[in-house]
Amino acid sequence: MRAIPLKPGVYWVGAVDWFLRTFHGYTTDQGATYNAYLIMDEKVALIDTVKAPFAEELLARVAQVVPLERVDYLVSNHVEMDHSGAIPQAMARMPKAQLVTCSPQGQRGLTAHYGAGYPYLPVKAGDSISLGRRTLRFIPTPMLHWPDNMMTYCPEEKILFSNDAFGQHYASGGRFDDEEPLADVMRQAAKYYANIVMPYPAQAKAALKAVEPLAIDLIAPSHGVIWRAHIPDILAAYKKWSDNTPPKAAVVVFDSMWHSTEKMALAISEGFLAQGVCVKLHDLKTSHMSDIITDLLEASCLAVGSPTLNNNLLPTVSAFLTYLAGLAPKGRKGFAFGSYGWGGQSIGQVGQALTAAGIEPLMEPVRQHYVPGPDDLAALTARVRDLAL
Ligand code: FEO
C-alpha cells in the first residue's frame, strides 16, 4: 500500500493489520489499523509509529515520500505499544529526529519501554513547534485513556491527530470515513469507546471541550478511518456516550448449566419487550464480553444471570462482571437472576457485583429454585414488564 495523501504534503503512512482478532482481550473482528502520519514542510514530522511487527511497513511508506534521514520530529501522542512499538526501529533510521512527548508521564513511559537514550523533547498544553509553514500544537488528553495521551493539532491544515480518541478497530482498504460503510465504522467506533474509553467520561468531555473551538477539516485518529465527511457524527456520538444517559433499552446476559437460568433470561427479555423496550440477549458461551459491553453502551438496563456452581458463580459470569467493574458504566440500572438446586449463593453474588460496578438495583435478585415452570416464567415476565425503568 502506498503512502496516502490526506492533503498536499500530509500523508497516512501507517499499517493495516487485517488479521488481528484480539486486542488485549477485546475482539477485533474487523482487524485494526495503526495510523501514523507524515507532514512535509521545511521540517519533517512523523506523528506516531505503529506496532513493532509493522515497523518496516511504516518506514517503507515514509521513504516513499522523503528519505528517512530528513525526518526532524517524531511526535509520540501515546506510549501504548500499538503506537510506540516501532520507535526503536524508526529512531535507528531517522538520526535527526527528536522524540516529542506530551508530558513527564509520556517521557517516563517511553523511557521505561525504550530507554533514556533518545533525545526526548517534552511538551505541555499550549506548546507548539513550527515546521515552517505549518505548526504542531499539543493538547494533553490525560487518561483518555492512559496518563500520557495527547492530541496534536495542525491549525494551518485544520487536522486534528487525535490518537486513540475517535478511533475504531477497523481494517479497510479505504482510509476515509466516506470510503467505507458508515454503519460498520460507527459500530466499531462504539465498540472502541465502550471497551477503551468508557471508564473515562469526564476525560472524554474535557477532550471534546478542547476540540470544540478548533477549526477541523480532518480528524485523523490512530486507529481506523480518518473522519472527513462525518466529523459531526463522531463528535456527537462521543458527546452522547460520555453523557451516560443511554436510551431505554436492555441487555440480558447469562450463562446456564442445564437451561433453567436460560429460560429465566428468555422470560426477562419477554418482559422488557412487553414494555416496548429493545432488548439484546447474550449467552456468555457464545457472545464475547467486548460485544456485550458495546450493546450496553446504548442500553439503560442490565440483567445478569448465573446458576450456582460449587457455591459460586459460573466462571464466565464472574469474568464478565470483573470486566464490567473495570469499565464502570455510569447511568445504568439492573438486577441479578439465576436458578439453583441448593445453596443459591450465586444470585446474591451477582447482585453484589452489579452494585459494586455502579449498576443501580432495579429490584432484588430473582432466585429460582430448581427448574422454572410456565407459571414461574410468566410471573417473571410480568414482573419485568411492570418495572419502572
Ligand atoms: Fe491504540 Fe491506547 O493505544
Side-chain angles (χ1 to χ4, degrees):
M1 192 184 279
R2 295 170 298 111
I4 308 289
L6 275 59
K7 289 196 171 194
V10 184
Y11 299 84
W12 174 90
V13 289
V16 181
D17 192 349
W18 289 97
F19 310 121
L20 187 79
R21 288 295 175 267
T22 178
F23 190 90
H24 51 56
Y26 148 12
T27 56
T28 48
D29 40 297
Q30 291 191 269
T33 73
Y34 316 110
N35 296 337
Y37 301 97
L38 186 70
I39 305 178
M40 297 297 301
D41 208 312
E42 290 164 28
K43 301 277 188 185
V44 177
L46 175 62
I47 299 188
D48 284 318
T49 71
V50 295
K51 213 172 177 179
F54 296 87
E56 286 306 318
E57 247 186 79
L58 163 79
L59 296 175
R61 286 200 178 92
V62 174
Q64 288 171 22
V65 181
V66 64
L68 295 169
E69 307 77 50
R70 275 208 51 212
V71 177
D72 297 281
Y73 292 103
L74 198 169
V75 176
S76 174
N77 277 328
H78 180 25
V79 172
E80 195 165 10
M81 289 70 82
D82 48 334
H83 310 295
S84 70
I87 282 177
Q89 293 96 319
M91 292 302 283
R93 308 262 290 275
M94 302 187 315
K96 272 169 68 182
Q98 294 193 65
L99 192 62
V100 178
T101 66
C102 72
S103 62
Q105 291 97 324
Q107 184 169 354
R108 233 180 352 252
L110 292 172
T111 301
H113 283 284
Y114 309 112
Y118 294 114
Y120 292 108
L121 177 58
V123 291
K124 59 184 188 311
D127 281 356
S128 60
I129 54 178
S130 173
L131 301 179
R133 196 176 70 74
R134 301 177 184 83
T135 313
L136 297 182
R137 192 186 302 161
F138 304 106
I139 305 168
T141 53
M143 294 317 298
L144 193 66
H145 64 125
W146 278 19
D148 54 271
N149 279 90
M150 71 174 184
M151 299 182 184
T152 299
Y153 177 61
C154 178
E156 296 81 5
E157 299 292 355
K158 300 181 183 161
I159 303 177
L160 179 68
F161 300 96
S162 63
N163 196 262
D164 280 342
F166 314 121
Q168 337 91 48
H169 281 315
Y170 183 78
S172 56
R175 297 272 62 80
F176 295 95
D177 57 353
D178 50 8
E179 297 175 331
E180 295 293 324
L182 183 61
D184 290 358
V185 171
M186 287 306 293
R187 172 70 184 178
Q188 291 305 325
K191 187 168 183 176
Y192 197 92
Y193 185 95
N195 287 275
I196 303 280
V197 183
M198 190 188 262
Y200 311 109
Q203 290 82 355
K205 283 190 177 305
L208 286 171
K209 197 170 168 198
V211 163
E212 202 174 36
L214 305 179
I216 297 177
D217 285 349
L218 299 174
I219 295 179
S222 57
H223 297 292
V225 297
I226 296 157
W227 301 96
R228 68 178 175 191
H230 300 286
I231 290 172
D233 302 73
I234 188 63
L235 293 176
Y238 262 60
K239 166 144 190 358
K240 177 180 68 169
W241 295 330
S242 61
D243 279 345
N244 272 312
T245 51
K248 203 178 275 189
V251 174
V252 180
V253 185
F254 71 97
D255 200 350
S256 194
M257 293 166 70
W258 293 102
H259 303 292
S260 291
T261 300
E262 178 182 328
K263 286 175 184 167
M264 295 177 75
L266 287 161
I268 289 165
S269 300
E270 288 298 323
F272 283 120
L273 289 171
Q275 285 218 32
V277 167
C278 176
V279 65
K280 297 279 175 68
L281 181 58
H282 289 286
D283 181 343
L284 283 159
K285 287 190 285 300
T286 54
S287 292
H288 194 271
M289 51 194 177
S290 57
D291 290 314
I292 300 171
I293 291 294
T294 308
D295 283 343
L296 186 62
L297 187 63
E298 299 283 1
S300 57
C301 301
L302 173 66
V304 179
S306 175
T308 298
L309 175 71
N310 302 329
N311 302 327
N312 223 312
L313 309 180
L314 282 188
T316 48
V317 181
S318 191
F320 171 74
L321 290 168
T322 299
Y323 194 59
L324 179 78
L327 294 171
K330 310 276 187 303
R332 272 82 177 174
K333 299 176 180 177
F335 63 91
F337 64 95
S339 78
Y340 65 100
W342 63 97
Q345 296 91 332
S346 64
I347 303 119
Q349 291 166 354
V350 172
Q352 286 167 9
L354 287 173
T355 302
I359 306 292
E360 186 187 327
L362 260 174
M363 63 174 167
E364 287 297 306
V366 182
R367 302 164 177 277
Q368 174 65 48
H369 196 205
Y370 287 114
V371 182
D375 290 347
D376 298 316
L377 294 171
L380 181 53
T381 295
R383 212 170 150 190
V384 174
R385 182 199 60 209
D386 295 339
L387 281 174
L389 302 181

